[in-house]
Amino acid sequence: MFHFSNLVRSKSDPKIISTGPSSLTSADRLARGLGWFSIALGTLELLAPHRVTYALGMDGREGLVRAYGVRELLAGVLTLSVEKRAGLLSRVAGDGLDMATLLGELRPSNPRAGTVLAALVMVGGIALLDYTAAQDVAAQHDARRGRKRLYNDRSGFPKGIAAARGAALPRPARSTALS
């Protein structure tokens, strides 16, 4: 990726030879992947709902699939933002809604019941990933995590309190011109 950066940098800037280690944790990477997956799935559901309804034997419910696509797009954008935990939790809620909808389609009269069952298993696995990522992101940004810094050995007076006494600048003399 740094090769592209070198193409747009001015000639006076130093060239980037290699990049350092990433600051993203595994939870950040998983959240990012789930966010992009959500955007891709939302785009598919929004632009080609008839393919989804045909695959699942849900003909005539294209409007519902489009609405789910919009939900997926919004959840994906929120997951890629700084509020990724809220995005991941909204994805978990959306997965629950998807599973409830798919359970309604898992009936013997549906010729695509096998596909619906496979979709249910897939949505369950993704819901587990979403929940795990949300927990990891929450733990990563927990204020109680990590080593606390203690400043109880500092007084704010590097030369001591005795040296600070009387060190303030003298007040300017008042002029007597006012009287």
Side-chain angles (χ1 to χ4, degrees):
M1 194 67 171
F2 61 88
H3 295 294
F4 296 114
S5 297
N6 284 333
L7 293 175
V8 296
R9 295 171 66 100
S10 67
K11 295 186 188 249
S12 61
D13 289 345
K15 296 290 180 197
I16 300 173
I17 298 171
S18 67
T19 57
S22 175
S23 63
L24 296 177
T25 63
S26 60
D28 290 331
R29 285 191 199 102
L30 179 59
R32 181 189 288 178
L34 289 169
W36 283 113
F37 174 74
S38 185
I39 288 175
L41 181 61
T43 302
L44 173 73
E45 289 176 339
L46 192 63
L47 298 179
H50 55 282
R51 290 184 183 254
V52 176
T53 57
Y54 176 75
L56 298 173
M58 298 171 54
D59 293 330
R61 301 185 71 185
E62 284 81 10
L64 178 69
V65 172
R66 279 192 185 102
Y68 284 8
V70 170
R71 185 203 71 217
E72 285 284 345
L73 285 172
L74 294 175
V77 168
L78 191 60
T79 303
L80 292 175
S81 74
V82 293
E83 296 294 332
K84 60 185 83 161
R85 183 168 187 251
L88 290 166
L89 291 177
S90 71
R91 283 187 44 83
V92 171
D95 292 339
L97 188 62
D98 289 344
M99 291 174 79
T101 302
L102 288 172
L103 279 174
E105 299 299 325
L106 194 60
R107 58 186 187 284
S109 63
N110 187 353
R112 305 278 183 176
T115 307
V116 172
L117 185 60
L120 260 172
V121 170
M122 186 176 82
V123 171
I126 291 172
L128 185 64
L129 276 177
D130 288 335
Y131 183 73
T132 302
Q135 294 299 315
D136 290 347
V137 166
Q140 181 180 347
H141 297 288
D142 187 8
R144 294 171 288 173
R145 180 176 170 251
R147 190 178 69 122
K148 301 291 181 200
R149 293 182 180 166
L150 296 175
Y151 299 107
N152 58 0
D153 60 338
R154 297 181 183 181
S155 69
F157 301 101
K159 294 179 182 175
I161 294 175
R165 287 195 179 112
L169 295 176
R171 291 185 175 188
R174 289 188 164 193
S175 69
T176 58
L178 294 175
S179 56

